[in-house]
Amino acid sequence: MAAVAFNEATRIYPGSDRPAVDKLELEIGDGEFMVLVGPSGCGKSTSLRMLAGLEEVNSGSITIGDRDVTDLPPKDRDIAMVFQNYALYPHMTVADNMGFALKMANVPKAERQQRVLDAAKLLGLEEFLNRKPKALSGGQRQRVAMGRAIVRQPQVFLMDEPLSNLDAKLRVSTRTQIGALQARLGVTTVYVTHDQVEAMTMGDRVAVMSAGLLQQVDSPLSLYDKPKNLFVAGFIGSPAMNLIEGEATEGGVKIGDYTLPIARDVLAKAGNEKTLTVGIRPENLSIAEQGIPLDVVMVEELGADSYLYGTLSGATDNEITGQQYVARISARQAPGRGNTVRLTADPEHLHVFSTSSGDRISD
Ligand SMILES: Nc1ncnc2c1ncn2[C@@H]1O[C@H](COP(=O)(O)OP(=O)(O)O)[C@@H](O)[C@H]1O
Ligand SMILES: [Mg+2]
C-alpha cells in the first residue's frame, strides 16, 4: 500500500490551448478512499489516467509511495484500474479473465489459481468461475472487473465510474460493497464519479473539480458544511443549496422586501462588495412571520417532510427573476401552490459568498 501525490500535475492535450487538468495538487493518504468528482469534462478521467500512466504529464509530477512515477510505463506503477466498461475478454472464463494479468506477469499457476479463488470468494463469484462474461448479469460482470484488479494485489486501485453501467438499485448496493471491500483490503483507492451522492457516500475524502481545476478537497461533511466557493456549494447536496443574490446593506443582505440578517463580522469581511450571494440549504429554511417572500410553485410531498419550490415574490428587475428556490419543511406546514410564504434561515447555517469572486466569506 502507498500514498499518492499529484504535484502540480498538468495535462494539455495536443491541439488544445487550455489544460484539461491544471496544476493538480492533491495528496492521497496510504489506505485512503479518495473520490474525484465533478461534472462531465472537468478532468477527472484525465487525472486518473495520468496516475495510471495512460496519459502524459506535461508539467509537474506524480508520486506513488516514495517513487516518482511520472515517466514510468503503466506496468511498472503497481496499480490496477477498473474501467467503466469493464473490458472483460468475451472468449475467456471468469477465472481466466481474473487471472490474466497474473499469467502475463508469469505468476506460477498454483499461486494464480489461489489468488483468483480468494478474490472470487471475497466477491461472491465462486460459482461463476467457469462461465463466460456473456452468461453473467451486469452486476456480476462488474464484480469480475473488481476481481481482476484485486488479484493483482496492487499498491493502488484506480476506478473510473465503475458503476455507471448498472441500474440505479444495483448501483446503490454495489457502492456499499465496494466501500466495504476497500476498507477490508485497505488499498489506497482513487475513485472517479460525476455523481455527487456516490462521492459523498463512498469517499473518506472527496476532491471536487471544475474545468480542470481542483476546487476543494475535504471530508464529505466538511464539503457539505463549509463549501469553499459557489461552485462546490451548488454542486454538493441534493436538492442543491439555494444561492440567492442580494444587495449588501447595514445589517444583512436584501432579498426581495426582506433583509436577511448577517453577522456583523461577516459583513465586515465582505468589505465594499455591493452584492453578496447567500447560500441556504433547503433544510435550513423554515416558514415564519417575517422572512424571504416566496411564491409557491410546487409542493413535493415526501411523507414526513415536503419540498416547497417557489420563486422570489415581487422580484424586481435587479433581482434574479424566475430562479427557483427550495425549502424542506414539515409536511403538516406545507401551504398549497399559488400561496406566498415567508421563509427564515437558520443563522447558524448561513453561507455567505462574494458574488464577484465566488469565494466563501463566512466562516
Ligand atoms: N484524448 C483527448 N484529446 C483531446 N482532448 C481530450 C481527450 N480526452 C479528454 N479530452 C478533453 O479534456 C477535458 C477533460 O476530459 P476528461 O478528463 O475525460 O473529463 P471527465 O472524466 O471529468 O469527464 C475535456 O474537455 C475533454 O474534452
Ligand atoms: Mg471521465
Side-chain angles (χ1 to χ4, degrees):
M1 260 97 345
V4 169
F6 291 86
N7 311 299
E8 303 206 336
T10 299
R11 175 63 178 146
I12 304 172
Y13 284 107
S16 172
D17 47 6
R18 206 176 56 80
V21 175
D22 197 356
K23 294 201 172 85
L24 177 62
E25 187 73 25
L26 179 63
E27 284 183 27
I28 301 146
D30 190 2
E32 185 171 30
F33 196 118
M34 173 68 79
V35 179
L36 302 186
V37 70
S40 177
C42 72
K44 306 179 295 293
S45 293
T46 303
S47 304
L48 204 67
R49 291 171 60 82
M50 285 197 286
L51 175 54
L54 301 171
E55 210 63 75
E56 191 185 334
V57 178
N58 298 106
S59 66
S61 66
I62 295 177
T63 57
I64 299 177
D66 47 18
R67 292 192 306 158
D68 185 330
V69 299
T70 316
D71 298 315
L72 287 184
K75 67 175 176 48
D76 296 336
R77 296 191 180 202
D78 205 0
I79 47 135
M81 188 147 170
V82 181
F83 296 96
Q84 174 177 346
N85 58 14
Y86 316 146
L88 301 178
Y89 300 110
H91 59 284
M92 286 186 197
T93 63
V94 166
D96 289 344
N97 262 289
M98 283 170 63
F100 187 70
L102 301 181
K103 194 170 173 183
M104 289 296 104
N106 295 318
V107 175
K109 191 167 178 192
E111 183 186 343
R112 224 155 66 207
Q113 285 175 334
Q114 190 58 52
R115 275 158 73 169
V116 167
L117 189 62
D118 289 346
K121 278 184 190 157
L122 204 58
L123 292 160
L125 287 171
E126 272 176 284
E127 56 187 297
F128 306 111
L129 281 172
N130 293 317
R131 285 205 200 165
K132 300 273 173 64
K134 69 171 186 307
L136 299 176
S137 71
Q140 289 159 349
R141 279 181 216 161
Q142 202 283 333
R143 298 215 296 279
V144 176
M146 289 291 300
R148 209 169 36 175
I150 290 171
V151 295
R152 296 174 58 190
Q153 303 175 344
Q155 299 263 25
V156 186
F157 285 136
L158 307 185
M159 305 187 195
D160 194 346
E161 314 239 7
L163 305 185
S164 50
N165 286 339
L166 304 181
D167 64 53
K169 199 172 158 199
L170 199 55
R171 216 158 42 219
V172 171
S173 60
T174 309
R175 81 185 177 214
T176 325
Q177 286 164 10
I178 292 180
L181 193 64
Q182 192 274 344
R184 185 156 157 202
L185 297 172
V187 177
T188 310
T189 299
V190 187
Y191 183 104
V192 161
T193 177
H194 65 275
D195 179 342
Q196 61 92 18
V197 178
E198 210 169 288
M200 296 291 276
T201 51
M202 294 182 80
D204 291 328
R205 283 191 304 156
V206 176
V208 184
M209 296 181 71
S210 167
L213 292 167
L214 179 63
Q215 304 291 315
Q216 184 170 359
V217 49
D218 244 321
S219 68
L221 272 184
S222 300
L223 284 179
Y224 193 83
D225 291 341
K226 304 263 176 202
K228 257 173 82 172
N229 59 38
L230 284 173
F231 179 82
V232 178
F235 188 76
I236 298 290
S238 174
M241 183 188 284
N242 298 290
L243 296 169
I244 315 172
E245 266 182 50
E247 186 194 336
T249 64
E250 186 93 359
V253 171
K254 196 156 176 289
I255 299 169
D257 62 5
Y258 178 70
T259 299
L260 181 72
I262 304 283
R264 202 178 289 270
D265 57 324
V266 175
L267 285 174
K269 270 201 269 178
N272 294 327
E273 303 216 32
K274 285 204 173 61
T275 307
L276 295 174
T277 299
V278 183
I280 314 169
R281 294 218 177 268
E283 66 270 29
N284 298 132
L285 283 168
S286 48
I287 293 180
E289 291 277 304
Q290 304 269 311
I292 303 164
L294 195 79
D295 290 334
V296 179
V297 174
M298 191 179 77
V299 180
E300 214 174 73
E301 305 279 3
L302 299 177
D305 293 327
S306 300
Y307 285 124
L308 201 66
Y309 294 86
T311 52
L312 196 58
S313 180
T316 66
D317 287 349
N318 294 330
E319 290 152 350
I320 316 163
T321 47
Q323 189 179 337
Q324 269 206 9
Y325 300 113
V326 52
R328 195 175 87 192
I329 56 163
S330 156
R332 270 149 285 277
Q333 271 191 310
R337 83 183 258 188
N339 287 297
T340 299
V341 293
R342 291 198 172 259
L343 298 169
T344 52
D346 177 355
E348 292 281 296
H349 291 100
L350 277 182
H351 310 256
V352 181
F353 301 93
S354 157
T355 303
S356 53
S357 72
D359 291 338
R360 184 183 188 90
I361 296 172
S362 52
D363 284 341

